[in-house]
Amino acid sequence: MLRISGLHLPLDFKEIELRRAAAKRLRLSETEVREVGLFKKSVDARKKDNIVFVCTADITLDGNEEKLLRRINDNGIQKVQQYRYELPKPVSLSQRPVVIGFGPAGMFAALILAQCGARPIVLERGESVEMRKKTVEDFWTSRRLNPKSNVQFGEGGAGTFSDGKLTTGTGDVRIRKVLEELVKAGAPEEILYEAKPHVGTDKLPGTVKNIREQIRSLGGEVYFETLVSNFFFRDGKLEALEVVGKDGKRERLECSQAILAIGHSSRDTFERLSSLAVPMQPKAFSVGARIEHPAELINRSQYGRFAGHPALGAADYKLNRHLENGRGVYTFCMCPGGTVTGAASEPGGVVTNGMSSWARDGRNSNAAVLVGVTPDDFQEEGPLAGVAFQRKLEQAAFRLAGGNYNAPAQRVADFLERRPSKAFGGVLPSYCPGVVPDSLDGCLPEFVADSLRLAIPQMGKSLRGFDEGDAVLTAPETRSSSPVRILRGEDMQSLSLKGLYPCGEGAGYAGGIVSAAVDGIRCAEQLLAKKR
């Protein structure tokens, strides 16, 4: 099979045009191309008067591929083998492995274990995705927070209530396995070739449920509203878990192998592990606010006269600045045509997040605009200093906005001029449960607010309208990544507690749906490969 990159095609191209472009590049007739498939598709919007797709295609021919490659001498054409993930050899374990947490990391760890015949036991503190969806929507409409099941906790993890973005900076070949399993479970097939794939919060629940049912069909068990509250070990090895069920009853579960995929907001579990002297350390992360603009403004800024073209959909962006004060500011988790949502997991705290549906057809587009923070900024010491830093910001926002899970919000013009907002202009905040106009200086650290004030006008020079005065900032965004790293060795096991595999975003080894899923696969592979 040959892979051809750099094929420029119009926005409304059909398969015949892809075939024609590939044949031309190969200096062949179209009839000599036996099969053509789209491997990657991205938007080239550098020239606003001529926006095109740049495609990579996989081609099969009837002739000699090696001879053809020597003749055309084109670095953009390579011979490749179609990727196939090879499952670890099926194993017979003396004891069923446990997966703690059922976000992307835990889900894919459990899936691999199940596909290899290991019949994993999954323990998830939150609800099933069907029940969780109702609970989260109730919080958004009535402000009744369920600390056990919310945007952070429950089947599918925090990513279930997001844009479902599947981009990642890692080049791990297991990414293809993740995408193929998602499509198999009902995600749109486009995620296999889009350069910036996403599933959408409306399609993720069904996809997540189907993966769960596949695990169960292979002999795995999945338990919801089941919290792992303690860990027992002997001679540095995991021996058992304390499990609290839905009825509040505590039971001991014998366990010598557990994948710890608890997510970045399981603060009580972090505290328990710290009390057991499991090696962990504070890590850098980022905090800031969500910024909202009219989707139409972002579309025009990115696509010019092509804005609104059905092949393009809502436009995205990615901006970053390194400031003279040494701080880095960047946009994160951009949600085209999306909404800002309440993502609290603890009583008395406000957290914002963003999400969008598959169609991305909301009136606003939003993104987190974040400032990097390090352990030097935390004002406390110890492995959980970052948790305390997050909590302080979230509780300040809760008080500032009235103590009922409303969030403080501010027009960008007012924020830049350091005056509280009294009302909103052309951009209506989408945050649920609701917002209170005020000054974000009442909940953001001074160095964070000052860095945002420096960066937003600079970002407006790169993306026209980003610093528009009526754009809205809603705060705080504090859960961009885990504030801790649970240390592990090359075998993926805890440095002090053998048999425990810290995994995914919560353990500090991933930063999104796909990278977390990949880390879950890697932990499952290591668990299966361990000599017994």
Side-chain angles (χ1 to χ4, degrees):
M1 183 172 68
L2 297 180
R3 182 162 293 161
I4 308 174
S5 59
L7 298 173
H8 290 71
L9 294 165
L11 296 181
D12 56 355
F13 80 90
K14 303 293 190 296
E15 183 180 323
I16 184 63
E17 293 169 278
L18 181 65
R19 178 183 292 269
R20 187 176 299 134
K24 182 178 180 181
R25 186 80 167 271
L26 293 168
R27 302 176 200 169
L28 300 173
S29 67
E30 293 176 39
T31 57
E32 293 177 275
V33 176
R34 180 153 51 94
E35 293 182 9
V36 57
L38 193 57
F39 179 76
K40 190 71 70 180
K41 183 180 77 173
S42 61
V43 177
D44 184 349
R46 290 173 296 178
K47 297 180 179 179
K48 304 303 182 190
D49 60 342
N50 184 31
I51 296 178
V52 297
F53 284 123
V54 180
C55 299
T56 299
D58 284 344
I59 308 295
T60 56
L61 307 172
D62 291 323
N64 187 310
E65 294 176 347
E66 296 285 357
K67 183 177 180 181
L68 177 64
L69 286 174
R70 289 194 296 270
R71 177 171 62 84
I72 58 179
N73 191 28
D74 185 332
N75 291 333
I77 304 174
Q78 296 180 330
K79 187 174 181 179
V80 296
Q81 294 290 331
Q82 190 168 6
Y83 173 74
R84 289 284 185 272
Y85 177 77
E86 296 292 336
L87 282 169
K89 293 181 180 179
V91 296
S92 177
L93 302 177
S94 58
Q95 194 177 72
R96 295 171 67 181
V98 174
V99 176
I100 306 170
F102 205 48
M107 185 172 297
F108 275 85
L111 181 62
I112 295 300
L113 292 172
Q115 289 176 343
C116 291
R119 300 171 57 243
I121 298 171
V122 178
L123 307 176
E124 166 56 50
R125 68 188 299 162
E127 296 171 304
S128 69
V129 72
E130 301 98 320
M131 296 302 298
R132 182 185 179 206
K133 188 173 184 292
K134 296 176 183 178
T135 299
V136 168
E137 289 174 351
D138 180 64
F139 170 62
W140 289 339
T141 57
S142 70
R143 298 178 172 83
R144 287 190 292 265
L145 176 68
N146 182 344
K148 298 178 181 179
S149 186
N150 43 64
V151 169
Q152 308 297 343
F153 302 146
E155 184 177 22
T160 302
F161 297 96
S162 70
D163 184 56
K165 214 176 307 296
L166 302 176
T167 50
T168 176
T170 177
D172 197 298
V173 295
R174 298 172 184 83
I175 293 171
R176 188 70 181 183
K177 169 69 171 175
V178 173
L179 298 179
E180 288 176 350
E181 290 291 349
L182 290 172
V183 170
K184 178 181 173 183
E189 191 173 356
E190 290 93 322
I191 68 172
L192 293 175
Y193 57 79
E194 293 283 358
K196 298 178 180 179
H198 86 111
V199 179
T201 193
D202 52 335
K203 293 185 180 294
L204 271 168
T207 303
V208 164
K209 178 183 175 181
N210 289 337
I211 293 177
R212 174 227 304 168
E213 292 308 317
Q214 183 187 166
I215 292 168
R216 284 177 168 168
S217 72
L218 295 170
E221 296 178 51
V222 182
Y223 296 94
F224 298 111
E225 299 177 78
T226 304
L227 172 69
V228 174
S229 57
N230 206 353
F231 303 80
F232 303 104
F233 50 96
R234 178 180 295 178
D235 300 327
K237 296 180 180 178
L238 183 64
E239 184 177 56
L241 305 170
E242 181 182 71
V243 178
V244 182
K246 183 178 180 179
D247 58 3
K249 184 179 179 181
R250 295 177 182 271
E251 295 183 357
R252 179 183 172 99
L253 174 65
E254 299 302 317
C255 172
S256 61
Q257 302 284 324
I259 292 177
L260 186 73
I262 54 177
H264 57 43
S265 295
S266 295
R267 294 168 172 174
D268 51 354
T269 308
F270 293 153
E271 290 168 0
R272 186 58 189 150
L273 292 168
S274 180
S275 73
L276 294 171
V278 173
M280 55 200 308
Q281 61 188 25
K283 63 178 280 292
F285 58 100
S286 303
V287 299
R290 280 269 155 185
I291 188 167
E292 284 191 272
H293 305 85
E296 184 180 355
L297 181 150
I298 301 300
N299 294 344
R300 289 198 311 270
S301 296
Q302 294 291 63
Y303 296 147
R305 67 181 181 87
F306 288 91
H309 193 290
L312 291 172
D316 66 358
Y317 58 79
K318 187 175 183 179
L319 305 170
N320 64 80
R321 287 292 184 275
H322 187 76
L323 304 176
E324 291 184 359
N325 66 9
R327 298 284 177 181
V329 182
Y330 64 100
T331 61
F332 172 78
C333 188
M334 196 270 158
C335 298
T339 56
V340 180
T341 62
S345 60
E346 290 183 343
V350 167
V351 181
T352 66
N353 195 16
M355 73 178 194
S356 51
S357 66
W358 166 250
R360 289 176 164 174
D361 55 0
R363 71 175 185 269
N364 291 349
S365 291
N366 72 81
V369 54
L370 302 176
V371 179
V373 298
T374 71
D376 291 337
D377 299 311
F378 294 162
Q379 300 178 334
E380 294 187 18
E381 295 184 355
L384 303 182
V387 172
F389 181 86
Q390 289 176 323
R391 189 177 278 142
K392 183 178 180 180
L393 272 60
E394 294 163 12
Q395 292 176 348
F398 183 80
R399 294 190 298 269
L400 182 63
N404 62 354
Y405 297 104
N406 280 345
Q410 192 172 12
R411 291 176 61 250
V412 163
D414 294 333
F415 177 74
L416 295 178
E417 294 297 325
R418 300 175 185 270
R419 60 176 180 257
S421 288
K422 302 299 183 183
F424 302 104
V427 181
L428 297 178
S430 63
Y431 173 89
C432 286
V435 301
V436 173
D438 209 310
S439 170
L440 299 191
D441 291 279
C443 65
L444 295 179
E446 183 178 5
F447 75 86
V448 171
D450 287 347
S451 295
L452 292 176
R453 288 190 177 98
L454 290 172
I456 288 173
Q458 293 183 28
M459 290 175 170
K461 296 177 181 178
S462 298
L463 179 64
R464 186 175 180 181
F466 187 81
D467 56 347
E468 166 67 34
D470 273 351
V472 174
L473 290 162
T474 307
E477 171 97 13
T478 54
R479 310 285 182 93
S480 60
S481 64
S482 181
V484 304
R485 175 168 287 117
I486 304 172
L487 301 182
R488 69 187 187 190
E490 292 183 3
D491 61 359
M492 314 289 274
Q493 297 183 75
S494 165
L495 294 182
S496 68
L497 188 53
K498 295 304 178 183
L500 186 70
Y501 295 76
C503 180
E505 192 163 350
Y509 296 99
I513 292 174
V514 171
S515 60
V518 166
D519 201 57
I521 293 174
R522 294 176 62 226
C523 283
E525 291 170 347
Q526 285 293 321
L527 187 153
L528 292 167
K530 187 177 181 297
K531 293 182 179 179
R532 291 169 181 80

